[in-house]
Amino acid sequence: MNFEHSDKVKDLMAQVDAFMQEHIFPAEHALEEFVNDPANLWVVPPIVEELKQKAKAQGLWNLFLPEEYGEFSPGLTNLEYAPLAELMGRVEFASEIFNCSAPDTGNMEVLARYGSPEQQARWLKPLMEGEIRSAYLMTEPDTACSDATNVETSIVRDGDEYVINGRKWWSSSVYDPRCELLLVMGKTDPDAGRYVQQSTIIVPRDTPGVTVVRPLKVLNALHSPAGHGEVLLENVRVPVGNMILGEGRGFEIAQGRLGPGRVHHCMRLIGAAQRCLDLMCKRVDSRVAFGKKLSAQGSIRQEVAKSRCEIEQARLLTLSTADKLDKFGNKEAKDLIAMIKIVAPRMCQEVADRAMQAHGSKGLCQDTPLANLYSYARFVRLADGPDEVHMAQLGKNTILAAVESDAR
Ligand SMILES: Cc1cc2nc3c(=O)[nH]c(=O)nc-3n(C[C@H](O)[C@H](O)[C@H](O)COP(=O)(O)OP(=O)(O)OC[C@H]3O[C@@H](n4cnc5c(N)ncnc54)[C@H](O)[C@@H]3O)c2cc1C
């Protein structure tokens, strides 16, 4: 395997990095202060829209989408996108500036891959333009949703409409004032086979019967302006044309959506971990305790060395996964996707934790990005499938493959 980046990718990496140096790193602290000011709850920081326009004008836009969409997307492969997402992952809000942030990316992929021409014109286009945002409503409070077949929300056909009832939670971005689209997963036929009971349907955010009940905090942070909401769906009526792909295809859509999405999180987490390590190195080289620099302590050097090894291991596994996804698709790459989804969030969490420790108490407060990056790694250990679910699947596949092979 040769993971040497092409000239095209090197050029894009230089452009994304320059953009981040010029516009994003300098804005990071002020933006953090803005979103954590209670007076600005659910308000989009003006600089976000300003920077989005700049990135779009430079063509640094929708880089995640493998298909070409004219002026809206250059059509990079996952392997080409990986180092760009890594660069963005260094700052929590950066991927949104390039229109590459979850959950919109996954929702755009669903609409691009499975949407009808009418659905694409109405919803994909404004998402790709960065004019609106969207949420994906799969998880429910009353069922174990690490098993997506458990969803209980009902989607019942009534003439030319579907009627939706249920309660969702952890609907990311649902508080964002730009969020206009909900993709809702529910059951159209609870008596069908296990994987064909579910469907995914488009619900405009302002449809009567949609109530956002309360925001959920991640390690005590609201993640304004996007937020994560608990959402009640009561007799929500939408036209039959809002069904994506057809009844019974919801599980298939969820699998298709989550494959690349999981890897995108991992790409960003490599960048997040690298930033934590870089900050740690700078800090330990500038602090003196007990008569010598912290960077001269053997235990600190070990923490730095371990972190560097783990980041590079995860980086190579991410590239390998992206490569397989490009060449053979989601299904063939499933074991690698599980591997990197197990490895990258935990790796980043540990590197961030070491960096926090080396910073002393400064590492836990708002004066560094470490707490945010730690929190990101921690929640990705649950979002898009908890560690244990990926381990259960990977373990099963590994045992089966060994049993079926003639290996001695
Ligand atoms: C910040 C954040 C953002 C999110 N955004 C979204 C979103 O936009 N849309 C959305 O629909 N959901 C979202 N989620 C929800 C997330 O995808 C679910 O929380 C996750 O899939 C787990 O489902 P659950 O919470 O119901 O856990 P449960 O299914 O109740 O599982 C609980 C725990 O049981 C253990 N477990 C489960 N299965 C196994 C197994 N086979 N073997 C061993 N142990 C096991 C795991 O430790 C797991 O964490 C988000 C979550 C977070 C934290």
Side-chain angles (χ1 to χ4, degrees):
M1 275 178 266
N2 175 12
F3 294 139
E4 174 71 20
H5 302 306
S6 66
D7 289 344
K8 176 176 91 171
V9 173
K10 282 183 193 159
D11 183 45
L12 280 167
M13 286 169 72
Q15 288 186 55
V16 169
D17 192 37
F19 192 96
M20 292 203 51
Q21 301 296 344
E22 189 180 346
H23 301 295
I24 294 187
F25 286 114
E28 188 179 21
H29 187 68
L31 190 130
E32 188 61 22
E33 297 282 297
F34 183 98
V35 298
N36 286 314
D37 182 341
N40 297 326
L41 191 60
W42 315 132
V43 175
V44 180
I47 190 156
V48 167
E49 287 301 321
E50 284 165 30
L51 292 183
K52 275 170 65 178
Q53 293 315 318
K54 283 199 170 93
K56 194 176 186 182
Q58 288 187 28
L60 302 175
W61 195 249
N62 291 328
L63 302 168
F64 70 97
L65 203 60
E67 289 107 289
E68 277 187 42
Y69 276 87
E71 61 189 298
F72 295 131
S73 151
L76 301 178
T77 63
N78 286 295
L79 189 58
E80 289 173 324
Y81 175 55
L84 308 173
E86 177 180 334
L87 291 170
M88 295 174 202
R90 295 175 297 173
V91 176
E92 206 191 6
F93 72 93
S95 54
E96 186 188 341
I97 303 300
F98 303 100
N99 216 35
C100 290
S101 60
D104 296 324
T105 43
N107 293 340
M108 283 188 257
E109 283 190 70
V110 166
L111 291 165
R113 255 205 237 179
Y114 310 115
S116 66
E118 295 74 31
Q119 291 167 350
Q120 291 181 347
R122 173 65 188 90
W123 298 109
L124 179 59
K125 192 165 176 291
L127 276 169
M128 293 195 68
E129 294 256 29
E131 292 167 355
I132 64 168
R133 296 211 66 191
S134 60
Y136 181 66
L137 279 62
M138 189 267 286
T139 306
E140 301 175 356
D142 301 329
T143 53
C145 282
S146 49
D147 175 356
T149 61
N150 278 345
V151 294
E152 283 180 345
T153 292
S154 70
I155 305 177
V156 176
R157 183 148 182 179
D158 181 22
D160 290 342
E161 293 180 322
Y162 282 103
V163 185
I164 307 161
N165 280 286
R167 186 182 287 270
K168 298 288 184 179
W169 74 344
W170 291 104
S171 308
S172 299
S173 285
V174 80
Y175 275 94
D176 194 305
R178 299 160 299 178
C179 178
E180 293 186 17
L181 165 67
L182 314 178
L183 295 191
V184 177
M185 185 168 162
K187 279 191 179 163
T188 31
D189 185 358
D191 300 321
R194 189 170 174 214
Y195 298 105
V196 289
Q197 299 175 358
Q198 308 78 11
S199 303
T200 300
I201 196 158
I202 291 172
V203 177
R205 165 79 175 74
D206 60 1
T207 310
V210 174
T211 311
V212 182
V213 178
R214 62 173 179 141
L216 301 161
K217 296 180 181 177
V218 178
L219 297 177
N220 240 8
L222 279 165
H223 288 183
S224 174
H228 311 274
E230 180 170 332
V231 183
L232 188 58
L233 304 164
E234 289 174 301
N235 294 320
V236 176
R237 287 182 169 270
V238 295
V240 287
N242 284 22
M243 178 63 68
I244 302 180
L245 208 57
E247 289 187 21
R249 312 289 295 273
F251 190 81
E252 175 190 340
I253 292 172
Q255 292 306 101
R257 182 184 184 280
L258 288 176
R262 286 175 175 140
V263 188
H264 294 166
H265 273 308
C266 297
M267 295 168 180
R268 289 190 282 268
L269 286 165
I270 309 297
Q274 186 65 56
R275 175 127 189 249
C276 293
L277 178 59
D278 292 345
L279 289 171
M280 177 176 173
C281 292
K282 288 197 175 113
R283 177 73 171 179
V284 294
D285 202 49
S286 68
R287 295 284 272 195
V288 174
F290 303 101
K292 58 179 176 183
K293 281 186 178 182
L294 291 174
S295 56
Q297 297 286 357
S299 61
I300 295 272
R301 288 182 181 178
Q302 276 189 21
E303 296 290 73
V304 168
K306 269 193 286 185
S307 302
R308 189 163 170 203
C309 296
E310 290 163 16
I311 292 170
E312 190 60 15
Q313 286 170 334
R315 181 180 282 124
L316 291 173
L317 187 54
T318 306
L319 294 174
S320 175
T321 308
D323 188 44
K324 191 143 190 184
L325 251 179
D326 291 334
K327 288 184 180 144
F328 303 104
N330 274 359
K331 215 168 169 186
E332 285 295 308
K334 68 178 187 314
D335 283 359
L336 278 166
I337 296 173
M339 282 183 224
I340 194 57
K341 181 65 175 55
I342 294 163
V343 166
R346 194 181 284 260
M347 176 283 293
C348 183
Q349 185 191 321
E350 284 184 10
V351 172
D353 188 61
R354 289 176 196 140
M356 287 160 117
Q357 190 70 9
H359 272 74
S361 45
K362 184 181 181 185
L364 274 70
C365 76
Q366 71 273 29
D367 286 355
T368 79
L370 295 172
N372 280 345
L373 299 174
Y374 177 93
S375 166
Y376 176 41
R378 185 65 190 86
F379 86 62
V380 180
R381 289 190 53 209
L382 280 165
D384 289 1
D387 293 356
E388 294 80 3
V389 173
H390 295 291
M391 286 191 215
Q393 197 59 46
L394 180 64
K396 184 177 156 194
N397 294 348
T398 306
I399 293 165
L400 205 66
V403 170
E404 285 178 354
S405 79
D406 51 8
R408 288 167 192 274

